[in-house]
Amino acid sequence: MTKQYIEQGKTIGIIGGGQLGQMMALSAKYGGMKVIVLDPTPHCPAGQVADDQIVAPYADVKAIEELARRSDVLTYEFENVDLKALEDVADKVSVPQGTNLLYTTKNRIREKTFLRDKAGMKTAPFRAVKSQADLDAAIKDLGYPCVLKTCEGGYDGHGQLVLHSAEDLKNPEVAKIIEFGDDILEGWVNFKLECSVMVARNADGQVAVFPVSENIHWNEILHESIVPARISDKTAQLAKDDAVKIAHAINLRGILGVEMFVTEDGDIYINELAPRPHNSGHYSIEACNFSQFDVHDRAICNWPLPKIKLLSPVVMVNVLGQHVAGARKLTQEKPNWHFHDYGKAEIRHNRKMGHITILTDDVNKTLKEIDDTNVWRDKH
Ligand code: AMP
């Protein structure tokens, strides 16, 4: 039987037109693919580089059907895709990623249960919380500090609260999260650093795994990624092995971001899965032989996957709304920095507007160089 794959020149349909879709589209265009994006904002970041954009809400079933009709393979750049709509078009177009990964990762309890019970991973201890009584019982079990999170819809620190003592229960945010009705309480993981690994897998079960990125967050939003992560070779290998195990356990197609906590002893706890390219993998565009976007596109088209090599140590720093003016000036001062700007029309505080990738021989020197620009200092 001949192998099923999507040939060059065919069309990739992307649901969502933000920066992840943009970089997916750019990579696809290098390979001669056609790209159509579905996004409600005209001239959205991905729409600016795609062959065409369908301007409609993400949940517009007719628009998803049109995208399916005009594409050979369908993918997405964010997790809040309408699962039913995706299932409904699966007879019209190849949807290699299916819906199981999205279904599992959409909900923190389902995700953690999968990670612990099916993939054999360590996670923070957790309890389902649907009421104040559940919360009281869960705190008794897990103790302080602990983290209360909504099961769905949270991102970049929204919909979650760290509880240090009973005093924190008076915070009105607690009642708001409880009101949501479907929450999780997680025990505290005393981690030394946060890391992530991007992993991709194709329909033939081949995997490609990226080097471990060390991630520094400011206010729960990624600030910098440092690759290779400053952990032992043994821990880095464990992190990559875990990502590959998860990819097989979930029968992954396409790329997955695996966010991890690493403890002082080198133990790895899986925090979250991102069923798509991830901000912490942007470094791979310049620092690896293939980027996370190249590999995602290959995987969904069922092309063979390359062995990923890190070509140089690297630091990636995010450009949020409050950093844009300063970062734009740096284009005139830093000839060796790679400046990415997603082309978003509106600049807002904490909105991801772009990122900068810096290949380096000396990570500490580069971190200091970033700090010395004053563009990021105190601008959280
Ligand atoms: P999340 O939305 O789950 O990625 O959480 C956002 C951030 O909160 C993480 O990147 C960690 O810095 C912190 N965090 C979340 N859950 C825990 C936990 N169980 N233990 C310690 N820190 C946590």
Side-chain angles (χ1 to χ4, degrees):
M1 208 179 85
T2 50
K3 179 180 130 167
Q4 294 290 309
Y5 72 101
I6 308 286
E7 285 179 351
Q8 283 183 294
K10 299 279 184 188
T11 302
I12 300 180
I14 306 176
I15 303 175
Q19 65 268 21
L20 300 178
Q22 183 187 59
M23 291 182 268
M24 242 185 232
L26 282 169
S27 167
K29 292 308 299 171
Y30 279 119
M33 309 301 289
K34 295 192 182 62
V35 178
I36 307 181
V37 170
L38 167 66
D39 194 278
T41 307
H43 212 57
C44 63
Q48 292 169 32
V49 303
D51 295 273
D52 202 0
Q53 178 182 348
I54 299 170
V55 180
Y58 307 120
D60 181 332
V61 174
K62 287 229 150 27
I64 294 180
E65 278 171 7
E66 183 191 340
L67 184 69
R69 223 176 24 250
R70 295 174 59 192
S71 305
D72 296 289
V73 58
L74 210 61
T75 186
Y76 47 82
E77 61 129 33
F78 63 89
E79 40 266 78
N80 292 319
V81 181
D82 186 329
L83 295 185
K84 170 88 175 50
L86 211 54
E87 270 161 16
D88 286 350
V89 296
D91 57 344
K92 292 189 187 66
V93 63
S94 166
V95 188
Q97 290 159 281
T99 51
N100 180 43
L101 174 66
L102 280 173
Y103 176 76
T104 306
T105 57
K106 237 176 194 306
N107 177 291
R108 290 185 192 270
I109 300 260
R110 275 203 295 270
E111 181 176 81
K112 283 212 159 50
T113 306
F114 156 77
L115 285 166
R116 188 189 60 192
D117 299 348
K118 296 264 164 50
M121 296 292 132
K122 281 193 196 127
T123 67
F126 63 95
R127 300 283 182 277
V129 170
K130 292 187 188 300
S131 64
Q132 184 66 47
D134 287 349
L135 178 62
D136 295 340
I139 292 175
K140 232 186 205 153
D141 269 2
L142 303 179
Y144 292 106
C146 49
V147 196
L148 180 65
K149 305 178 181 178
T150 56
C151 277
E152 297 193 15
Y155 65 96
D156 286 347
H158 295 274
Q160 60 178 275
L161 197 66
V162 179
L163 303 173
H164 297 279
S165 70
E167 195 55 30
D168 287 340
L169 294 175
K170 294 180 192 147
N171 185 333
E173 270 303 305
V174 172
K176 266 199 221 156
I177 296 181
I178 296 280
E179 213 169 275
F180 183 80
D182 189 13
D183 304 317
I184 181 171
L185 188 81
E186 295 180 15
W188 191 254
V189 179
N190 200 5
F191 59 83
K192 186 174 83 167
L193 43 87
E194 294 188 68
C195 288
S196 57
V197 174
M198 302 308 303
V199 61
R201 186 169 176 274
N202 65 11
D204 291 340
Q206 279 182 334
V207 290
V209 60
F210 284 79
V212 185
S213 164
E214 173 183 337
N215 300 324
I216 297 168
H217 296 91
W218 280 358
N219 299 325
E220 262 91 46
I221 302 172
L222 184 66
H223 168 51
E224 286 168 331
S225 288
I226 300 166
V227 188
R230 293 170 293 183
I231 52 179
S232 70
D233 290 349
K234 188 172 157 223
T235 305
Q237 193 54 51
L238 280 175
K240 288 169 76 165
D241 291 349
D242 277 357
V244 170
K245 276 186 208 152
I246 293 167
H248 288 305
I250 200 122
N251 197 14
L252 179 70
R253 306 277 189 274
I255 201 149
L256 175 75
V258 183
E259 295 183 39
M260 310 168 166
F261 299 137
V262 180
T263 67
E264 196 67 54
D265 299 337
D267 281 338
I268 293 169
Y269 290 76
I270 309 299
N271 176 32
E272 266 198 309
L273 303 177
R276 50 168 172 76
H278 191 256
N279 193 169
S280 66
H282 292 355
Y283 75 87
S284 59
I285 295 175
E286 287 90 3
C288 292
N289 54 340
F290 290 86
S291 77
Q292 61 168 344
F293 303 100
D294 300 337
V295 169
H296 175 69
D297 290 344
R298 282 174 172 251
I300 59 167
C301 292
N302 200 24
W303 293 16
L305 298 183
K307 184 168 168 44
I308 302 301
K309 288 189 197 134
L310 184 68
L311 305 174
S312 161
V314 58
V315 177
M316 190 255 7
V317 57
N318 262 342
V319 177
L320 306 181
Q322 59 270 37
H323 310 130
V324 169
R328 285 190 178 157
K329 285 206 186 94
L330 292 178
T331 59
Q332 301 308 302
E333 294 170 27
K334 305 287 183 189
N336 295 315
W337 291 17
H338 296 269
F339 292 90
H340 293 250
D341 185 307
Y342 309 139
K344 294 184 184 177
E346 198 189 330
I347 300 176
R348 286 198 303 265
H349 187 83
N350 279 352
R351 188 179 198 199
K352 290 177 182 170
M353 302 298 297
H355 69 269
I356 298 171
T357 306
I358 309 164
L359 304 182
T360 177
D361 296 328
D362 185 338
V363 163
N364 286 331
K365 203 169 125 201
T366 300
L367 291 172
K368 183 170 182 313
E369 194 184 348
I370 294 170
D371 193 45
D372 285 348
T373 63
N374 267 329
V375 170
W376 289 269
R377 196 182 290 165
D378 304 327
K379 293 190 192 72
H380 293 205

